[in-house]
């Protein structure tokens, strides 16, 4: 069985995937969401699940691939998530995050659905591993509720619980725009780590985006086993492109990039209800939603007018990966 890394990154673009596959020691895993990579295609390079896993395995067969937020209503449409799970299990995903909590907020209903989905996936591929629980932004849990989730799921799935690898813990992280606005709850964080240990699970925190080196380091010194980061790396690539446009005073390219981002409507998820559009806010919308349009043919035309942009993007991605990995050690 593969050794699970301490850092997982969302494959927000092909550049990010390539950077991770080229790292030594398979030190970072990939966590595609259903909107990014799906059985019928996603917004990242228009890859299907099969195309994505084939690409990654050809570049580096030892990279850990874990489905992030697999479950009902976590994709492009309101569904039961079963077809997505089936394709994940059949196409070489090492692990799947079983997350019914977006749709099911009642704890007992969510526990039963978690167990049912583990049983379903096990029938498709008994070698697959799982992560259970969810992040605070989807459904906040108390320490006692987390203990109940792990304990009840273990009773319901029996021996299959040995395939559960990670438990999601909540330490107060919260992303608004391109900032982590959460307030770190150290006691809850430490108590949830202990709950994971009780059930022989590795602890994982989501929404590790935009944390300082010190904030990352503190979490691992307190006993955290793994951290997820996703939107931040899409932001790094977007920021690199935007800075290139602004440095060269390419007003026409800026407007084209802005219109693509604005029309995507993806920025609406990351701003508060009082957000209103100004000239300054055009920059904000690009920074938030740029990664959603990376595969758009019109965006590819914009990039063609910027020599060496791919090299600059990868340099900036690798710089942040190195920074986080150093903080983890």
């Amino acid at each position: 069985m593969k050794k699970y890394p301490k850092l997982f990154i969302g494959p927000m673009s092909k550049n990010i995937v390539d950077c991770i596959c080229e790292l030594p020691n398979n030190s970072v895993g990939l966590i595609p969401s259903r909107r990014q990579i799906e059985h019928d295609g996603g917004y990242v390079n228009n890859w299907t699940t099969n195309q994505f896993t084939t690409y990654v395995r050809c570049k580096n067969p030892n990279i850990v691939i874990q489905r992030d937020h697999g479950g009902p209503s976590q994709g492009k449409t309101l569904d039961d998530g079963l077809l997505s799970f089936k394709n994940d299990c059949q196409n070489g995903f090492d692990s799947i995050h079983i997350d019914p909590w977006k749709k099911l907020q009642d704890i007992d209903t969510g526990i039963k659905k978690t167990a049912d989905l583990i049983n379903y996936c096990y029938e498709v591929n008994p070698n697959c591993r799982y992560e259970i629980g969810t992040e605070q932004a989807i459904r906040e849990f108390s320490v006692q509720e987390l203990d109940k989730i792990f304990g009840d799921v273990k009773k319901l799935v029996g021996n299959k619980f040995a395939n559960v690898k990670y438990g999601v813990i909540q330490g107060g992280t919260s992303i608004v725009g391109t900032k982590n606005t959460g307030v770190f709850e150290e006691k809850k964080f430490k108590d949830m780590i202990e709950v994971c240990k009780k059930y022989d699970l590795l602890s994982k925190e989501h929404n590790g985006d935009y944390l300082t080196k010190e904030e990352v380091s503190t979490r691992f010194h307190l006993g955290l086993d793994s951290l997820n980061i996703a939107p931040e790396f899409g932001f790094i690539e977007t920021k690199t492109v935007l800075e290139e446009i602004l440095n060269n005073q390419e007003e026409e390219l800026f407007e084209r990039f802005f219109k693509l981002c604005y029309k995507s409507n993806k920025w609406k998820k990351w701003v508060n209800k009082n957000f209103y559009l100004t000239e300054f806010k055009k920059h904000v919308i690009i920074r938030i939603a740029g990664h959603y349009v990376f595969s758009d043919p019109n965006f590819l035309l914009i990039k063609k007018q910027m020599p060496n942009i791919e090299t600059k993007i990868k340099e900036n991605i690798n710089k942040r990966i190195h920074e986080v990995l150093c903080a983890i050690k």
Side-chain angles (χ1 to χ4, degrees):
M1 181 178 162
K2 295 176 182 176
K3 183 178 179 181
Y4 279 71
K6 294 183 178 181
L7 176 62
F8 284 84
I9 292 175
M12 319 298 285
S13 72
K14 181 177 178 294
N15 280 323
I16 294 168
V17 173
D18 288 341
C19 287
I20 291 171
C21 287
E22 292 161 9
L23 288 170
N25 305 319
N26 311 307
S27 51
V28 178
L30 288 164
I31 45 166
S33 71
R34 290 187 58 194
R35 289 179 177 84
Q36 291 162 359
I37 309 290
E38 185 62 295
H39 63 89
D40 57 354
Y43 70 75
V44 177
N45 208 42
N46 299 313
W47 273 324
T48 64
T49 302
N50 177 263
Q51 289 169 337
F52 171 71
T53 54
T54 299
Y55 182 83
V56 173
R57 297 302 182 215
C58 286
K59 288 187 72 70
N60 189 335
N62 295 313
I63 292 290
V64 172
I65 302 176
Q66 181 184 61
R67 167 65 72 197
D68 197 27
H69 298 293
S73 302
Q74 294 279 14
K76 301 185 288 288
T77 59
L78 300 178
D79 64 357
D80 58 15
L82 295 183
L83 183 56
S84 178
F85 279 129
K86 183 178 181 180
N87 275 267
D88 293 346
C89 292
Q90 291 176 333
N91 284 286
F93 273 51
D94 299 291
S95 180
I96 296 174
H97 177 201
I98 305 288
D99 185 5
W101 300 101
K102 182 178 180 181
K103 184 176 182 180
L104 305 174
Q105 295 281 298
D106 175 71
I107 190 164
D108 290 315
T109 307
I111 287 169
K112 185 178 184 306
K113 177 59 73 171
T114 298
D116 288 345
L117 292 173
I118 289 174
N119 287 328
Y120 174 83
C121 291
Y122 189 88
E123 291 301 313
V124 181
N125 181 0
N127 296 314
C128 197
R129 299 295 187 262
Y130 309 104
E131 173 181 317
I132 59 175
T134 197
E135 64 197 46
Q136 200 159 317
I138 291 177
R139 206 291 195 182
E140 184 172 1
F141 296 118
S142 67
V143 175
Q144 293 72 26
E145 285 177 320
L146 190 70
D147 193 312
K148 175 179 172 61
I149 291 167
F150 295 167
D152 287 3
V153 169
K154 183 175 183 179
K155 290 176 185 176
L156 289 169
V157 302
N159 292 336
K160 301 184 189 75
F161 194 78
N163 284 33
V164 180
K165 184 75 175 178
Y166 281 108
V168 182
I169 67 168
Q170 300 175 353
T173 53
S174 175
I175 298 173
V176 176
T178 57
K179 294 181 179 179
N180 202 314
T181 60
V183 177
F184 185 48
E185 302 175 63
E186 183 173 323
K187 185 179 186 308
K188 180 180 180 181
F189 188 83
K190 290 169 66 177
D191 288 345
M192 285 190 162
I193 288 174
E194 291 304 311
V195 173
C196 287
K197 290 179 179 178
K198 176 180 175 180
Y199 293 96
D200 198 27
L201 300 177
L202 295 173
S203 56
K204 188 197 276 194
E205 186 179 27
H206 287 212
N207 293 337
D209 309 75
Y210 313 111
L211 296 176
T212 65
K213 291 184 291 184
E214 292 72 23
E215 288 170 329
V216 172
S217 182
T218 294
R219 283 162 162 77
F220 282 88
H221 283 151
L222 291 172
L224 182 68
D225 292 303
S226 190
L227 184 69
N228 281 8
I229 300 178
E232 180 180 359
F233 282 93
F235 168 69
I236 289 170
E237 183 159 348
T238 298
K239 184 171 178 281
T240 305
V241 173
L242 180 58
E243 287 178 349
E244 188 77 1
I245 290 172
L246 296 176
N247 288 340
N248 292 310
Q249 299 182 335
E250 297 282 0
E251 293 183 12
E252 189 261 341
L253 290 184
F254 175 85
E255 287 298 324
R256 283 165 60 187
F257 194 9
F258 162 70
K259 288 177 182 177
L260 283 175
C261 295
Y262 184 80
K263 290 179 180 178
S264 76
N265 289 321
K266 300 295 186 181
W267 53 274
K268 293 181 178 179
K269 173 184 176 182
W270 303 103
V271 300
N272 62 43
K273 61 182 180 181
N274 298 319
F275 185 91
Y276 60 93
L277 185 62
T278 64
E279 280 299 311
F280 169 75
K281 293 292 178 65
K282 287 183 177 182
H283 291 253
V284 176
I285 288 173
I286 290 173
R287 290 169 186 268
I288 293 172
H291 66 271
Y292 291 107
V293 302
F294 285 165
S295 298
D296 189 300
N298 293 305
F299 177 73
L300 298 178
L301 289 174
I302 292 173
K303 279 211 301 185
K304 278 187 176 181
Q305 299 186 51
M306 293 181 280
N308 302 318
I309 191 64
E310 304 292 355
T311 299
K312 293 178 181 179
I313 288 169
K314 288 186 176 182
E315 286 175 353
N316 289 334
I317 290 169
N318 283 321
K319 180 180 178 181
R320 178 54 174 165
I321 292 174
H322 179 72
E323 183 178 74
V324 176
L325 288 175
C326 286
I328 287 173
K329 292 178 180 178

